[in-house]
Amino acid sequence: MEKKMGEAVARVARKVNETVENGADSLDLADCKLMMFPIGIYKVMRNVTEGIHLITLANNELKSVTSKFITTFSQMRELNLEGNYLHRLPEEMRTLLHLKVINLSRNKFRHFPEQLTTLKALETINLEENEITECSEDSPIFCQPWNGETGFSPSPPLRIRSDFDEFWSKPLLAPLLE
């Protein structure tokens, strides 16, 4: 077991070093058995974080994404968190002004992550295969229970609101300014 763990650590270190040395704009730590984002990576990558636009942490064992991760990689345009154990996102997600794509499929979300509703650049949200059973009225999606011959689906499919474009175009601060 220690040998496998050592191999996993070496793999993460190798991928991080390649990103730093090549000045790459992406960091791929998919399938690394990570339970949390390694704190040491922040120090190693401190001079290149602004240039990282794509981060892949798919198929790990992450239970949370920290505020530090979000604020460190603030220039992200794509974030792939597919296949983890996430059930919520930090409030700091609202600060990712350049985020265009987020993949949250195959996680443990029960509610639509409302932090994503304020991101104007966001074009794609993948929430497939989560446990979302309810969405708020302010969400850009509605939960639509599947009511086929067998009844209510335990993991209902999601559908886009009919007023999706209007929802995203309305000024979010208007009610506060009145």
Side-chain angles (χ1 to χ4, degrees), residues 17-80:
N17 286 336
E18 285 173 8
T19 297
V20 172
E21 289 170 7
N22 298 331
D25 68 348
S26 63
L27 175 62
D28 183 355
L29 296 178
D31 302 300
C32 288
K33 298 182 171 89
L34 296 175
M35 296 177 79
M36 60 184 282
F37 191 80
I39 295 171
I41 291 177
Y42 297 118
K43 187 173 183 179
V44 173
M45 297 191 73
R46 70 182 173 273
N47 295 324
V48 298
T49 57
E50 293 289 315
I52 302 295
H53 296 151
L54 166 64
I55 298 180
T56 302
L57 294 169
N59 304 313
N60 281 293
E61 299 173 17
L62 300 172
K63 291 183 179 173
S64 66
V65 175
T66 65
S67 302
K68 181 170 179 114
F69 174 81
I70 299 302
T71 56
T72 300
F73 297 100
S74 61
Q75 299 301 308
M76 259 189 299
R77 285 161 176 68
E78 293 184 45
L79 178 58
N80 185 350

Short mmCIF file of all heavy atoms in Angstrom, two decimals, residues 17-80:
data_model
loop_
_atom_site.label_atom_id
_atom_site.label_comp_id
_atom_site.label_asym_id
_atom_site.label_seq_id
_atom_site.Cartn_x
_atom_site.Cartn_y
_atom_site.Cartn_z
N ASN A 17 5.42 19.59 -11.65
CA ASN A 17 6.71 20.06 -12.16
C ASN A 17 6.66 20.29 -13.67
O ASN A 17 7.21 21.28 -14.16
CB ASN A 17 7.83 19.08 -11.80
CG ASN A 17 8.21 19.17 -10.34
OD1 ASN A 17 7.99 20.20 -9.68
ND2 ASN A 17 8.75 18.10 -9.80
N GLU A 18 6.02 19.40 -14.40
CA GLU A 18 5.89 19.58 -15.86
C GLU A 18 5.14 20.86 -16.18
O GLU A 18 5.53 21.62 -17.07
CB GLU A 18 5.15 18.39 -16.48
CG GLU A 18 5.97 17.13 -16.59
CD GLU A 18 5.15 15.92 -17.07
OE1 GLU A 18 3.97 16.09 -17.45
OE2 GLU A 18 5.69 14.81 -17.04
N THR A 19 4.07 21.13 -15.44
CA THR A 19 3.29 22.34 -15.66
C THR A 19 4.14 23.58 -15.41
O THR A 19 4.15 24.52 -16.21
CB THR A 19 2.04 22.36 -14.75
OG1 THR A 19 1.20 21.26 -15.10
CG2 THR A 19 1.26 23.64 -14.90
N VAL A 20 4.87 23.58 -14.31
CA VAL A 20 5.70 24.74 -13.95
C VAL A 20 6.85 24.93 -14.94
O VAL A 20 7.07 26.03 -15.46
CB VAL A 20 6.24 24.60 -12.50
CG1 VAL A 20 7.25 25.69 -12.18
CG2 VAL A 20 5.08 24.63 -11.50
N GLU A 21 7.57 23.85 -15.22
CA GLU A 21 8.74 23.94 -16.10
C GLU A 21 8.38 24.33 -17.53
O GLU A 21 9.11 25.05 -18.20
CB GLU A 21 9.49 22.61 -16.11
CG GLU A 21 10.22 22.34 -14.81
CD GLU A 21 10.78 20.92 -14.71
OE1 GLU A 21 10.72 20.18 -15.71
OE2 GLU A 21 11.28 20.57 -13.63
N ASN A 22 7.23 23.86 -18.02
CA ASN A 22 6.81 24.15 -19.39
C ASN A 22 6.00 25.44 -19.50
O ASN A 22 5.62 25.84 -20.60
CB ASN A 22 5.99 22.99 -19.96
CG ASN A 22 6.81 21.72 -20.05
OD1 ASN A 22 8.02 21.76 -20.20
ND2 ASN A 22 6.15 20.58 -19.93
N GLY A 23 5.72 26.07 -18.37
CA GLY A 23 4.89 27.28 -18.40
C GLY A 23 3.52 27.00 -19.00
O GLY A 23 2.94 27.86 -19.66
N ALA A 24 3.02 25.80 -18.77
CA ALA A 24 1.73 25.38 -19.35
C ALA A 24 0.58 26.18 -18.74
O ALA A 24 0.68 26.70 -17.63
CB ALA A 24 1.51 23.89 -19.12
N ASP A 25 -0.52 26.24 -19.49
CA ASP A 25 -1.70 26.95 -19.00
C ASP A 25 -2.72 25.98 -18.40
O ASP A 25 -3.84 26.36 -18.10
CB ASP A 25 -2.34 27.79 -20.10
CG ASP A 25 -2.97 26.96 -21.20
OD1 ASP A 25 -2.72 25.74 -21.25
OD2 ASP A 25 -3.71 27.53 -22.00
N SER A 26 -2.31 24.71 -18.22
CA SER A 26 -3.23 23.73 -17.64
C SER A 26 -2.51 22.88 -16.61
O SER A 26 -1.30 22.68 -16.67
CB SER A 26 -3.82 22.85 -18.73
OG SER A 26 -2.81 22.11 -19.36
N LEU A 27 -3.30 22.39 -15.66
CA LEU A 27 -2.81 21.49 -14.63
C LEU A 27 -3.75 20.30 -14.61
O LEU A 27 -4.95 20.45 -14.35
CB LEU A 27 -2.80 22.18 -13.26
CG LEU A 27 -2.42 21.32 -12.05
CD1 LEU A 27 -0.98 20.78 -12.21
CD2 LEU A 27 -2.56 22.11 -10.77
N ASP A 28 -3.23 19.12 -14.91
CA ASP A 28 -4.04 17.91 -14.97
C ASP A 28 -3.63 16.96 -13.86
O ASP A 28 -2.59 16.31 -13.93
CB ASP A 28 -3.87 17.23 -16.34
CG ASP A 28 -4.76 16.00 -16.50
OD1 ASP A 28 -5.44 15.60 -15.52
OD2 ASP A 28 -4.76 15.44 -17.59
N LEU A 29 -4.47 16.90 -12.82
CA LEU A 29 -4.25 15.99 -11.71
C LEU A 29 -5.40 14.99 -11.62
O LEU A 29 -5.81 14.57 -10.54
CB LEU A 29 -4.09 16.76 -10.40
CG LEU A 29 -2.88 17.68 -10.31
CD1 LEU A 29 -2.85 18.42 -8.98
CD2 LEU A 29 -1.58 16.92 -10.53
N ALA A 30 -5.91 14.58 -12.77
CA ALA A 30 -6.98 13.58 -12.81
C ALA A 30 -6.42 12.22 -12.41
O ALA A 30 -5.25 11.93 -12.65
CB ALA A 30 -7.58 13.51 -14.21
N ASP A 31 -7.27 11.43 -11.81
CA ASP A 31 -6.93 10.04 -11.46
C ASP A 31 -5.69 9.93 -10.57
O ASP A 31 -4.88 9.02 -10.74
CB ASP A 31 -6.74 9.20 -12.73
CG ASP A 31 -7.97 9.22 -13.61
OD1 ASP A 31 -9.02 8.78 -13.15
OD2 ASP A 31 -7.86 9.69 -14.76
N CYS A 32 -5.54 10.84 -9.63
CA CYS A 32 -4.37 10.82 -8.74
C CYS A 32 -4.71 10.40 -7.31
O CYS A 32 -3.88 10.52 -6.42
CB CYS A 32 -3.70 12.19 -8.72
SG CYS A 32 -2.83 12.58 -10.25
N LYS A 33 -5.93 9.97 -7.08
CA LYS A 33 -6.38 9.52 -5.76
C LYS A 33 -6.29 10.62 -4.69
O LYS A 33 -6.09 10.34 -3.50
CB LYS A 33 -5.61 8.28 -5.32
CG LYS A 33 -5.80 7.09 -6.22
CD LYS A 33 -5.05 5.88 -5.71
CE LYS A 33 -5.40 4.65 -6.49
NZ LYS A 33 -4.65 4.36 -7.64
N LEU A 34 -6.44 11.86 -5.11
CA LEU A 34 -6.35 12.99 -4.18
C LEU A 34 -7.60 13.05 -3.30
O LEU A 34 -8.72 13.00 -3.79
CB LEU A 34 -6.23 14.30 -4.93
CG LEU A 34 -4.97 14.50 -5.77
CD1 LEU A 34 -5.07 15.80 -6.56
CD2 LEU A 34 -3.74 14.49 -4.89
N MET A 35 -7.39 13.21 -2.00
CA MET A 35 -8.50 13.41 -1.07
C MET A 35 -8.67 14.90 -0.78
O MET A 35 -9.71 15.33 -0.31
CB MET A 35 -8.26 12.63 0.21
CG MET A 35 -8.24 11.12 -0.04
SD MET A 35 -7.87 10.17 1.41
CE MET A 35 -9.45 10.20 2.22
N MET A 36 -7.62 15.65 -1.06
CA MET A 36 -7.63 17.11 -0.94
C MET A 36 -6.55 17.65 -1.87
O MET A 36 -5.65 16.91 -2.28
CB MET A 36 -7.39 17.56 0.50
CG MET A 36 -6.07 17.11 1.06
SD MET A 36 -5.83 17.53 2.80
CE MET A 36 -5.42 19.25 2.65
N PHE A 37 -6.66 18.92 -2.22
CA PHE A 37 -5.65 19.53 -3.07
C PHE A 37 -4.40 19.73 -2.21
O PHE A 37 -4.45 20.39 -1.17
CB PHE A 37 -6.15 20.86 -3.64
CG PHE A 37 -5.29 21.41 -4.72
CD1 PHE A 37 -5.39 20.93 -6.02
CD2 PHE A 37 -4.37 22.40 -4.45
CE1 PHE A 37 -4.59 21.42 -7.04
CE2 PHE A 37 -3.57 22.92 -5.46
CZ PHE A 37 -3.68 22.42 -6.74
N PRO A 38 -3.27 19.16 -2.62
CA PRO A 38 -2.05 19.22 -1.79
C PRO A 38 -1.58 20.67 -1.55
O PRO A 38 -1.36 21.43 -2.48
CB PRO A 38 -1.02 18.45 -2.63
CG PRO A 38 -1.82 17.59 -3.54
CD PRO A 38 -3.07 18.36 -3.83
N ILE A 39 -1.42 21.00 -0.28
CA ILE A 39 -1.04 22.36 0.12
C ILE A 39 0.31 22.76 -0.48
O ILE A 39 0.51 23.91 -0.87
CB ILE A 39 -1.02 22.48 1.66
CG1 ILE A 39 -2.44 22.30 2.18
CG2 ILE A 39 -0.44 23.81 2.11
CD1 ILE A 39 -2.56 22.18 3.68
N GLY A 40 1.24 21.84 -0.59
CA GLY A 40 2.56 22.13 -1.12
C GLY A 40 2.55 22.63 -2.55
O GLY A 40 3.46 23.34 -2.98
N ILE A 41 1.50 22.31 -3.28
CA ILE A 41 1.41 22.74 -4.68
C ILE A 41 1.28 24.25 -4.79
O ILE A 41 1.81 24.86 -5.72
CB ILE A 41 0.24 22.02 -5.40
CG1 ILE A 41 0.57 20.54 -5.54
CG2 ILE A 41 -0.04 22.65 -6.76
CD1 ILE A 41 -0.54 19.72 -6.17
N TYR A 42 0.63 24.88 -3.81
CA TYR A 42 0.49 26.33 -3.85
C TYR A 42 1.85 27.01 -3.89
O TYR A 42 2.06 27.96 -4.64
CB TYR A 42 -0.31 26.85 -2.64
CG TYR A 42 -1.73 26.36 -2.60
CD1 TYR A 42 -2.20 25.57 -1.57
CD2 TYR A 42 -2.62 26.69 -3.61
CE1 TYR A 42 -3.50 25.13 -1.52
CE2 TYR A 42 -3.94 26.25 -3.58
CZ TYR A 42 -4.37 25.47 -2.53
OH TYR A 42 -5.66 25.03 -2.49
N LYS A 43 2.79 26.52 -3.08
CA LYS A 43 4.12 27.12 -3.02
C LYS A 43 4.90 26.86 -4.32
O LYS A 43 5.51 27.76 -4.88
CB LYS A 43 4.89 26.57 -1.82
CG LYS A 43 6.20 27.26 -1.59
CD LYS A 43 6.86 26.82 -0.30
CE LYS A 43 8.14 27.60 -0.09
NZ LYS A 43 8.80 27.23 1.15
N VAL A 44 4.85 25.62 -4.80
CA VAL A 44 5.58 25.25 -6.02
C VAL A 44 5.07 26.04 -7.23
O VAL A 44 5.84 26.43 -8.09
CB VAL A 44 5.44 23.73 -6.28
CG1 VAL A 44 6.03 23.34 -7.63
CG2 VAL A 44 6.09 22.93 -5.17
N MET A 45 3.78 26.32 -7.25
CA MET A 45 3.17 26.97 -8.42
C MET A 45 2.95 28.47 -8.26
O MET A 45 2.36 29.11 -9.13
CB MET A 45 1.84 26.29 -8.75
CG MET A 45 2.00 24.83 -9.15
SD MET A 45 0.50 24.13 -9.82
CE MET A 45 0.46 24.93 -11.43
N ARG A 46 3.43 29.05 -7.17
CA ARG A 46 3.11 30.45 -6.87
C ARG A 46 3.43 31.44 -7.99
O ARG A 46 2.77 32.45 -8.13
CB ARG A 46 3.77 30.88 -5.57
CG ARG A 46 5.26 31.01 -5.62
CD ARG A 46 5.86 31.40 -4.27
NE ARG A 46 7.30 31.35 -4.30
CZ ARG A 46 8.02 30.27 -4.05
NH1 ARG A 46 7.41 29.13 -3.74
NH2 ARG A 46 9.34 30.30 -4.10
N ASN A 47 4.42 31.14 -8.82
CA ASN A 47 4.80 32.06 -9.89
C ASN A 47 4.04 31.82 -11.20
O ASN A 47 4.22 32.59 -12.15
CB ASN A 47 6.31 31.98 -10.15
CG ASN A 47 7.12 32.46 -8.97
OD1 ASN A 47 6.72 33.40 -8.27
ND2 ASN A 47 8.23 31.82 -8.71
N VAL A 48 3.24 30.77 -11.26
CA VAL A 48 2.55 30.45 -12.52
C VAL A 48 1.03 30.37 -12.38
O VAL A 48 0.33 30.14 -13.37
CB VAL A 48 3.08 29.13 -13.14
CG1 VAL A 48 4.55 29.23 -13.49
CG2 VAL A 48 2.81 27.95 -12.22
N THR A 49 0.51 30.58 -11.19
CA THR A 49 -0.94 30.40 -10.99
C THR A 49 -1.79 31.31 -11.86
O THR A 49 -2.86 30.91 -12.32
CB THR A 49 -1.35 30.59 -9.51
OG1 THR A 49 -0.94 31.89 -9.08
CG2 THR A 49 -0.75 29.53 -8.63
N GLU A 50 -1.33 32.52 -12.11
CA GLU A 50 -2.10 33.46 -12.94
C GLU A 50 -2.26 32.96 -14.37
O GLU A 50 -3.21 33.32 -15.05
CB GLU A 50 -1.42 34.84 -12.95
CG GLU A 50 -1.44 35.54 -11.61
CD GLU A 50 -2.83 36.03 -11.22
OE1 GLU A 50 -3.52 36.61 -12.08
OE2 GLU A 50 -3.21 35.83 -10.05
N GLY A 51 -1.35 32.12 -14.83
CA GLY A 51 -1.41 31.62 -16.20
C GLY A 51 -2.14 30.30 -16.35
O GLY A 51 -2.30 29.80 -17.46
N ILE A 52 -2.62 29.75 -15.26
CA ILE A 52 -3.34 28.46 -15.32
C ILE A 52 -4.79 28.73 -15.65
O ILE A 52 -5.51 29.38 -14.89
CB ILE A 52 -3.22 27.69 -13.98
CG1 ILE A 52 -1.77 27.43 -13.62
CG2 ILE A 52 -4.03 26.39 -14.04
CD1 ILE A 52 -1.02 26.52 -14.57
N HIS A 53 -5.24 28.23 -16.81
CA HIS A 53 -6.61 28.46 -17.27
C HIS A 53 -7.48 27.22 -17.25
O HIS A 53 -8.70 27.33 -17.29
CB HIS A 53 -6.59 29.05 -18.69
CG HIS A 53 -5.95 30.39 -18.74
ND1 HIS A 53 -5.30 30.86 -19.85
CD2 HIS A 53 -5.84 31.37 -17.81
CE1 HIS A 53 -4.82 32.07 -19.60
NE2 HIS A 53 -5.13 32.40 -18.36
N LEU A 54 -6.87 26.04 -17.20
CA LEU A 54 -7.61 24.78 -17.17
C LEU A 54 -7.05 23.91 -16.07
O LEU A 54 -5.85 23.63 -16.04
CB LEU A 54 -7.49 24.05 -18.51
CG LEU A 54 -7.92 22.58 -18.55
CD1 LEU A 54 -9.41 22.44 -18.25
CD2 LEU A 54 -7.59 21.96 -19.90
N ILE A 55 -7.92 23.48 -15.15
CA ILE A 55 -7.52 22.57 -14.09
C ILE A 55 -8.43 21.36 -14.13
O ILE A 55 -9.66 21.49 -14.14
CB ILE A 55 -7.56 23.23 -12.70
CG1 ILE A 55 -6.57 24.40 -12.65
CG2 ILE A 55 -7.26 22.20 -11.61
CD1 ILE A 55 -6.51 25.13 -11.33
N THR A 56 -7.81 20.18 -14.16
CA THR A 56 -8.55 18.93 -14.15
C THR A 56 -8.21 18.16 -12.88
O THR A 56 -7.06 17.79 -12.67
CB THR A 56 -8.20 18.08 -15.39
OG1 THR A 56 -8.49 18.84 -16.56
CG2 THR A 56 -9.00 16.79 -15.41
N LEU A 57 -9.24 17.97 -12.06
CA LEU A 57 -9.12 17.18 -10.84
C LEU A 57 -10.12 16.04 -10.86
O LEU A 57 -10.62 15.60 -9.83
CB LEU A 57 -9.36 18.07 -9.61
CG LEU A 57 -8.31 19.16 -9.37
CD1 LEU A 57 -8.78 20.14 -8.31
CD2 LEU A 57 -6.98 18.55 -8.99
N ALA A 58 -10.42 15.56 -12.05
CA ALA A 58 -11.44 14.52 -12.24
C ALA A 58 -10.99 13.19 -11.66
O ALA A 58 -9.81 12.87 -11.61
CB ALA A 58 -11.76 14.36 -13.72
N ASN A 59 -11.98 12.43 -11.23
CA ASN A 59 -11.78 11.05 -10.77
C ASN A 59 -10.77 10.93 -9.64
O ASN A 59 -9.87 10.11 -9.67
CB ASN A 59 -11.40 10.15 -11.94
CG ASN A 59 -12.43 10.22 -13.04
OD1 ASN A 59 -13.62 10.14 -12.79
ND2 ASN A 59 -11.98 10.40 -14.26
N ASN A 60 -10.93 11.78 -8.66
CA ASN A 60 -10.16 11.70 -7.43
C ASN A 60 -11.12 11.36 -6.30
O ASN A 60 -12.18 10.78 -6.56
CB ASN A 60 -9.42 13.03 -7.17
CG ASN A 60 -8.18 13.15 -8.03
OD1 ASN A 60 -7.22 12.41 -7.86
ND2 ASN A 60 -8.19 14.09 -8.97
N GLU A 61 -10.77 11.70 -5.08
CA GLU A 61 -11.63 11.42 -3.93
C GLU A 61 -11.88 12.69 -3.13
O GLU A 61 -12.01 12.66 -1.91
CB GLU A 61 -10.99 10.33 -3.06
CG GLU A 61 -10.80 9.02 -3.83
CD GLU A 61 -10.02 7.97 -3.06
OE1 GLU A 61 -9.90 8.09 -1.82
OE2 GLU A 61 -9.52 7.04 -3.70
N LEU A 62 -11.97 13.82 -3.85
CA LEU A 62 -12.15 15.11 -3.20
C LEU A 62 -13.54 15.22 -2.58
O LEU A 62 -14.54 14.94 -3.24
CB LEU A 62 -11.97 16.24 -4.21
CG LEU A 62 -10.61 16.34 -4.90
CD1 LEU A 62 -10.65 17.39 -6.00
CD2 LEU A 62 -9.52 16.65 -3.90
N LYS A 63 -13.58 15.68 -1.33
CA LYS A 63 -14.86 15.91 -0.66
C LYS A 63 -15.19 17.39 -0.61
O LYS A 63 -16.31 17.78 -0.33
CB LYS A 63 -14.84 15.32 0.74
CG LYS A 63 -14.80 13.81 0.72
CD LYS A 63 -14.86 13.24 2.12
CE LYS A 63 -14.83 11.73 2.03
NZ LYS A 63 -14.72 11.11 3.34
N SER A 64 -14.18 18.23 -0.88
CA SER A 64 -14.41 19.67 -0.88
C SER A 64 -13.36 20.37 -1.73
O SER A 64 -12.30 19.82 -2.02
CB SER A 64 -14.38 20.24 0.55
OG SER A 64 -13.08 20.12 1.09
N VAL A 65 -13.70 21.57 -2.11
CA VAL A 65 -12.79 22.49 -2.80
C VAL A 65 -12.63 23.66 -1.85
O VAL A 65 -13.63 24.22 -1.38
CB VAL A 65 -13.37 22.95 -4.15
CG1 VAL A 65 -12.49 24.00 -4.79
CG2 VAL A 65 -13.58 21.78 -5.07
N THR A 66 -11.40 24.03 -1.55
CA THR A 66 -11.18 25.07 -0.55
C THR A 66 -11.22 26.47 -1.16
O THR A 66 -11.03 26.66 -2.36
CB THR A 66 -9.82 24.89 0.13
OG1 THR A 66 -8.78 25.07 -0.84
CG2 THR A 66 -9.70 23.52 0.79
N SER A 67 -11.44 27.44 -0.31
CA SER A 67 -11.41 28.84 -0.70
C SER A 67 -10.04 29.21 -1.24
O SER A 67 -9.91 29.95 -2.22
CB SER A 67 -11.72 29.74 0.50
OG SER A 67 -12.97 29.42 1.02
N LYS A 68 -9.00 28.67 -0.60
CA LYS A 68 -7.63 28.96 -1.04
C LYS A 68 -7.41 28.49 -2.47
O LYS A 68 -6.76 29.18 -3.27
CB LYS A 68 -6.61 28.32 -0.10
CG LYS A 68 -5.18 28.61 -0.51
CD LYS A 68 -4.19 28.17 0.53
CE LYS A 68 -2.79 28.47 0.05
NZ LYS A 68 -2.11 29.47 0.82
N PHE A 69 -7.93 27.33 -2.82
CA PHE A 69 -7.79 26.81 -4.18
C PHE A 69 -8.42 27.80 -5.17
O PHE A 69 -7.81 28.16 -6.18
CB PHE A 69 -8.46 25.43 -4.29
CG PHE A 69 -8.49 24.90 -5.69
CD1 PHE A 69 -7.38 24.29 -6.25
CD2 PHE A 69 -9.64 25.02 -6.47
CE1 PHE A 69 -7.41 23.80 -7.55
CE2 PHE A 69 -9.68 24.54 -7.76
CZ PHE A 69 -8.56 23.93 -8.31
N ILE A 70 -9.62 28.24 -4.88
CA ILE A 70 -10.35 29.15 -5.78
C ILE A 70 -9.63 30.49 -5.91
O ILE A 70 -9.44 30.99 -7.02
CB ILE A 70 -11.80 29.37 -5.30
CG1 ILE A 70 -12.56 28.03 -5.28
CG2 ILE A 70 -12.51 30.40 -6.14
CD1 ILE A 70 -12.63 27.31 -6.61
N THR A 71 -9.20 31.05 -4.81
CA THR A 71 -8.55 32.37 -4.88
C THR A 71 -7.15 32.28 -5.48
O THR A 71 -6.69 33.23 -6.12
CB THR A 71 -8.49 33.04 -3.49
OG1 THR A 71 -7.83 32.17 -2.57
CG2 THR A 71 -9.89 33.37 -2.98
N THR A 72 -6.48 31.16 -5.31
CA THR A 72 -5.13 30.98 -5.89
C THR A 72 -5.20 30.88 -7.41
O THR A 72 -4.39 31.45 -8.13
CB THR A 72 -4.45 29.73 -5.31
OG1 THR A 72 -4.32 29.89 -3.90
CG2 THR A 72 -3.08 29.52 -5.93
N PHE A 73 -6.17 30.14 -7.92
CA PHE A 73 -6.31 29.93 -9.36
C PHE A 73 -7.46 30.79 -9.91
O PHE A 73 -8.35 30.30 -10.59
CB PHE A 73 -6.51 28.44 -9.66
CG PHE A 73 -5.34 27.60 -9.26
CD1 PHE A 73 -5.36 26.88 -8.08
CD2 PHE A 73 -4.19 27.56 -10.05
CE1 PHE A 73 -4.27 26.10 -7.70
CE2 PHE A 73 -3.10 26.80 -9.67
CZ PHE A 73 -3.14 26.07 -8.50
N SER A 74 -7.41 32.06 -9.62
CA SER A 74 -8.51 32.99 -9.94
C SER A 74 -8.69 33.26 -11.43
O SER A 74 -9.72 33.79 -11.84
CB SER A 74 -8.30 34.31 -9.21
OG SER A 74 -7.08 34.90 -9.64
N GLN A 75 -7.73 32.90 -12.25
CA GLN A 75 -7.83 33.15 -13.69
C GLN A 75 -8.37 31.94 -14.47
O GLN A 75 -8.39 31.94 -15.70
CB GLN A 75 -6.46 33.54 -14.25
CG GLN A 75 -5.90 34.81 -13.64
CD GLN A 75 -6.81 36.00 -13.85
OE1 GLN A 75 -7.22 36.30 -14.95
NE2 GLN A 75 -7.13 36.68 -12.76
N MET A 76 -8.83 30.93 -13.75
CA MET A 76 -9.34 29.71 -14.39
C MET A 76 -10.46 30.01 -15.36
O MET A 76 -11.33 30.83 -15.09
CB MET A 76 -9.93 28.78 -13.31
CG MET A 76 -9.07 27.66 -12.92
SD MET A 76 -9.96 26.52 -11.86
CE MET A 76 -10.39 27.50 -10.46
N ARG A 77 -10.43 29.32 -16.48
CA ARG A 77 -11.50 29.39 -17.47
C ARG A 77 -12.28 28.08 -17.53
O ARG A 77 -13.44 28.07 -17.88
CB ARG A 77 -10.93 29.75 -18.84
CG ARG A 77 -10.54 31.23 -18.91
CD ARG A 77 -9.59 31.53 -20.05
NE ARG A 77 -9.28 32.92 -20.20
CZ ARG A 77 -8.59 33.68 -19.37
NH1 ARG A 77 -8.16 33.19 -18.24
NH2 ARG A 77 -8.33 34.94 -19.62
N GLU A 78 -11.59 26.98 -17.19
CA GLU A 78 -12.23 25.66 -17.18
C GLU A 78 -11.80 24.91 -15.92
O GLU A 78 -10.63 24.90 -15.57
CB GLU A 78 -11.83 24.83 -18.40
CG GLU A 78 -12.35 25.37 -19.70
CD GLU A 78 -12.01 24.44 -20.87
OE1 GLU A 78 -12.17 23.22 -20.74
OE2 GLU A 78 -11.56 24.97 -21.90
N LEU A 79 -12.78 24.26 -15.29
CA LEU A 79 -12.52 23.47 -14.09
C LEU A 79 -13.26 22.16 -14.20
O LEU A 79 -14.48 22.14 -14.34
CB LEU A 79 -12.97 24.24 -12.84
CG LEU A 79 -12.81 23.54 -11.49
CD1 LEU A 79 -11.36 23.15 -11.24
CD2 LEU A 79 -13.33 24.44 -10.37
N ASN A 80 -12.52 21.07 -14.16
CA ASN A 80 -13.12 19.73 -14.26
C ASN A 80 -12.98 19.03 -12.92
O ASN A 80 -11.88 18.65 -12.51
CB ASN A 80 -12.44 18.92 -15.36
CG ASN A 80 -13.12 17.58 -15.58
OD1 ASN A 80 -13.97 17.15 -14.81
ND2 ASN A 80 -12.74 16.90 -16.64
#
